[in-house]
Structure formats: structure tokens, C-alpha cells
Amino acid sequence: MHNLAEALRLTGRKRQAALAFTRALRLRPAYPKALAAFGLMLKDTGSGRAARRIAAHALVIDPAFATGWRNLGALLQDLNKPDRLARLLRRASLCAPGDAASQAAYGVALCEVKDGGPALDALRRAAALEPGKVGILGQLAFGLMQAGDTDGSLRTVQRARQLDPMAAEADAQESLVWIMAGDFARAATAARRALLLAPDDAGIIINAALVLHCLGVGRESVRWSKRALRLQPKNPVGRFNLSLTLLRQGDFTRGWALYEARWSMWGSTYPNHAPAWDGSPLDGRSILLTAEQGHGDTLHFVRYATLLAGRGGRVLLHVQPLLKRLLANTPGVSGVYGLDETPPACDLCAPLMSLPFLVGTRLDSIPAAVPYLRPDAADGRRWRDRLAGERRLRIGLVWAGEPRKGDAKANSVDRRRSLALAAFAPLAAIPGAVFYSLQIGEAGAQAKAPPAGLDVIDLTADIRDFADTAAFIEQLDLVVTVDTSVCHLAGGLGKPVWVLSRYDACWRWLGHREDSPWYPTMRLFHQDEPGAWDAPISRLAASLAELVGRRA
């Protein structure tokens, strides 16, 4: 009866399968295989809680049932709890150390919780157990990509393709690796091969749309994203990727709505400190606005705190600790708490980056009044004294972002946006300017050996947090930076800021526009091709020479 139930389930006859499972379990109630399989089928019919209860019962009967642990993990996917899934799959791997599927599933789960070393150990064990299994090689290639081993991932993809030249997932994985490496032309070639082999696979189509987004072919990217969503309307990755393309095109009405799909993506949890705000009138209620991504994102969207205060809300902020002191001066904000602190009781809460959607921001209604960031007066006096007497044009300089080596995707973006201080050598030929390093982190050490003729003064040892950086920038005439948090800080302060932007520019810069409706004082210098900084730096140097000449 169990075998019949499985055959019926796999051929889509779920009602008959349920009857067969019921009969099997009536004959033997303590039958772990039937319980685990019945649980998977119940999930497919929408009975998630019942499915998990039945699958867990199978493990009470037989705690060493490896497939049961794996099945229970599959049932937890909808709960979006990657840590719990990793613990369940660890049990599966311990129960069946010789089962390649259990080891591979455990390795992928560890990749999702950013535990790279053990993840690769598990994936390599799986590949050693079944060296001819293309699917497991694809999972190993994914793990190597997550660990930043581009060459290793490509070699593994090549092995999978040799075993099965028709394996579309190998080409799809290769395209992702090339995206991470910033080689979008090769990514497009791999994506085309994958599409030829599996033209109706929603995941592969989503991947192709992402490649087109990176290449700046927005209209085609939207077309492919829509095709993928016709196949899988609720796919959160497809919806989120489409949102980025629409936002880059300035289609805020559809873009912000789809951007909310990020909360359905694996590992994301919507803030639950209080009931979620739905955009209705605040009428004096307190609302907690929470940071969710990087420092720059918080600095960009904290402008909405002042807007909500003007609409009658008592606004509280829950942000990164390094921003606490600066954002305490934000107009309309009643209190600021660090993410390392327990937030206060409040009536409502909302993530900062959901606010454009909740208030209905359009391209022509961006709240762009600056400055909306204010440094502390005492900090301002201290930095004014430090820079007193300098008559040359004072320019702040940032040449690299935050590497975030534990996050493969963020690290790949940082490699594409960052450069070395030596790349700014053309600026040395401009007289009448002095450069101040605003570069924090490992890359800041390059200020000790600037290009010949480039006068770089490094005072970053006295920077404790973003409040200090803001007070420092207030004393400068211009900030030149790559696309990182400092560009949002300078823009929010209303300071002239020139931004060097990578070829696959962030959606918020609306393609390759030279201006930004978010920041009236910003000017953008984009790469003309991936990885090539010479042309934008040359244009920036010419503009700077013109600025110095006008000032003289």
C-alpha cells in the first residue's frame, strides 16, 4: 500500500494517494517511511502543519531514519528558518554518513547560514560518495561559489558538463559564477546554453533575466522575468529581481510593490517588534523604523523618519550601532536604539526600505529635501579646528567599500565597486586641491602610500563612528567616493558628492543617469564597460580640474 501510495503521489493523483497512505498506516501505524512520505504529500496539498506533525512522528518512532530528517527539513522550507533546517539536516547526515544526498543537503543548508568550511566538507564528502552524480556536483559548485572560490566552482561545473552535456543546471550555475566574477558576457553565454536545454525551467529563466539586468538590457530582463513568473507566480526571487529592474527604470509603482518579495526569500524575517504599519494615518501612534541592510541603505531611507513625524507619528529608530549618535539629530526622531539593544515598546513597526512602498513614493515625489542628516555641533567645532587654515579645495576621498567577506553576494558586489587608491593617480595633476582620506577598514592603509603627487591627508584614526565622519565631511568642499555608505552620508548632508559607479549600477541610480533625484548635490560617473575605471576617472579628473579652475 505504501508503494502504491508513492506511485500515485509521483504521478499526481493525490486524492488516491492519500487513501493508499491511510490504508498503509492503518495496517502499520508505526511505519516511518509511510509517515514521512505522507507528510511530503500533505505539504503539496497545503496542509503544512499537519504535514510537519506526521513527519515528526516518523522520527519519534525511528530517530535514526535519515530520509525522515531530510523530509522534515523539506517541510520546514516554508517557515524560512535556515538555522533550524541546518540542525535537522545535520541529524540526517549523522544518521547516514554514507548517503550522498544527505551529506549534500546538509552542505547546502550550511552554505545558507554562511558556515563555509563545514559546508564544503559536507559537499565534498557527498561528491566523493557519488562522483558521477551531476546534481551533487552542481551543489558542490554552488558551495565553492559561496566560499568565493570562482576557479574551483567553474572546474566543478565543467566536470558536471562532461558527465552530462545536457545538464542545464550546470550551465545555469556557471552563469551565476560569472555574474559573481563580474564577467557578464560569459554569464550571458552560459545562460543562453541553459535556456536552450531547459526553455521552460522557471529558475533558469530567472537567472537569464538577472544576467540581462546586469548587462543593463532592462526591457528584455523584464520580459524574461515576467515569463518566469507566469510559470511560478509566487517565486520570491523572480519577483524581487523584477523589482530591481523596474526600480532602475523608474517604475516605482510596480517596483516598490514587488520589492516586498524580499521578505519571502530564504532567511528573511519581517520585523515583529509590533504590528506592521500598513500606511494608514499614524494619529500620534509610535512607530519603530528598523534598519535591514547596510549602513548606506539606512542613511538613504532614514529621510522617511522626518516625513512620518510630519504626518503625526512618534518616530523611533532601530539602527546599526555606528549610526546611533548621528541619527539622534534627525529632525522628527524621538529616540534611537542600536540593533544590539532591545527596542522599546511601540504601537507599530516598519522596515526602513519598505517605507517608499507604504507611503507611495513615485519618481516625481521622492522626498529629496537636504540636508536631512545633521552632525553634532561639538563634533563640528572639533573638525573645523582640525582643518582651519587650509585654503586649497578640500576633497574627501573613498576608494573602496566594505568587503563583507562572509557574504559571497555582497563581497562580489564590493569587488566590482571598489578600486585601489593608485587608480586616482590622474587627480595628482590638478593643482589647488588637497585630499583627505575618508577610507575606513583595511583599504585605508593605502593612504600611507598614495600615487606620486597626490596629496592625501589621513585623519581617520580620529573617526569613531558616522557622526564623526559627518562632522568631517561638513568641513570639506567635495566628496569623491565609490558607491558606498559615504555617498549617502554626503548626499544626506547636502554636500557636493561625486560617485564612481560600477557598470551594473545599483537600481537607485536609475541606470546610467549622471544626476540623482534622491540627492540634489550628487553627480555620478559610471563605467562604460564592466571593470573599466579609466574612463570614468578621466572624466572625473577633467571635471575636478574645471572646478578648481573656476574656484581660482
Side-chain angles (χ1 to χ4, degrees), residues 456-467:
V456 178
I457 300 171
D458 185 5
L459 303 177
T460 55
D462 295 327
I463 293 178
R464 298 163 294 172
D465 57 12
F466 278 89

Side-chain angles (χ1 to χ4, degrees), residues 232-476:
Q232 289 184 1
K234 295 184 179 179
N235 187 299
V237 176
R239 292 169 66 82
F240 179 73
N241 286 358
L242 176 56
S243 80
L244 299 182
T245 307
L246 292 171
L247 289 172
R248 180 190 278 178
Q249 293 177 336
D251 185 349
F252 283 10
T253 302
R254 290 187 296 167
W256 292 128
L258 286 168
Y259 194 63
E260 291 301 292
R262 69 195 187 280
W263 298 114
S264 300
M265 292 168 68
W266 187 239
S268 300
T269 305
Y270 198 90
N272 58 0
H273 308 298
W277 183 49
D278 60 3
S280 57
L282 291 166
D283 296 329
R285 290 179 293 175
S286 60
I287 181 168
L288 182 73
L289 305 181
T290 64
E292 57 171 287
Q293 296 185 34
H295 292 101
D297 300 294
T298 301
L299 290 166
H300 184 179
F301 291 98
V302 76
R303 67 184 71 205
Y304 284 91
T306 305
L307 186 149
L308 294 189
R311 293 188 178 187
R314 189 171 71 85
V315 180
L316 305 167
L317 296 177
H318 196 211
V319 299
Q320 296 91 337
L322 288 175
L323 291 173
K324 264 185 68 177
R325 208 161 60 87
L326 171 64
L327 298 186
N329 294 325
T330 307
V333 169
S334 299
V336 182
Y337 301 83
L339 292 177
D340 55 350
E341 299 175 283
T342 302
C346 52
D347 299 316
L348 300 163
C349 72
L352 276 168
M353 298 184 73
S354 290
L355 295 177
F357 168 64
L358 291 168
V359 305
T361 297
R362 302 181 310 276
L363 191 57
D364 60 359
S365 65
I366 289 174
V370 293
Y372 60 83
L373 299 175
R374 298 177 179 175
D376 182 78
D379 290 337
R381 287 191 295 272
R382 182 163 59 89
W383 283 100
R384 186 167 58 249
D385 292 343
R386 292 291 302 273
L387 274 62
E390 179 58 68
R391 294 291 176 262
R392 292 173 292 178
L393 190 74
R394 294 178 287 195
I395 303 169
L397 203 56
V398 179
W399 52 90
E402 183 182 354
R404 289 191 276 182
K405 295 177 181 178
D407 185 328
K409 182 180 176 182
N411 182 251
S412 72
V413 171
D414 184 68
R415 289 198 305 272
R416 299 200 295 276
R417 70 177 174 178
S418 298
L419 36 77
L421 177 58
F424 287 96
L427 305 188
I430 302 170
V434 59
F435 296 90
Y436 291 90
S437 172
L438 298 173
Q439 183 66 55
I440 304 297
E442 292 180 13
Q446 297 173 34
K448 294 182 174 62
L454 192 70
D455 189 5
V456 178
I457 300 171
D458 185 5
L459 303 177
T460 55
D462 295 327
I463 293 178
R464 298 163 294 172
D465 57 12
F466 278 89
D468 276 327
T469 307
F472 191 173
I473 289 173
E474 278 281 279
Q475 308 308 316
L476 302 176

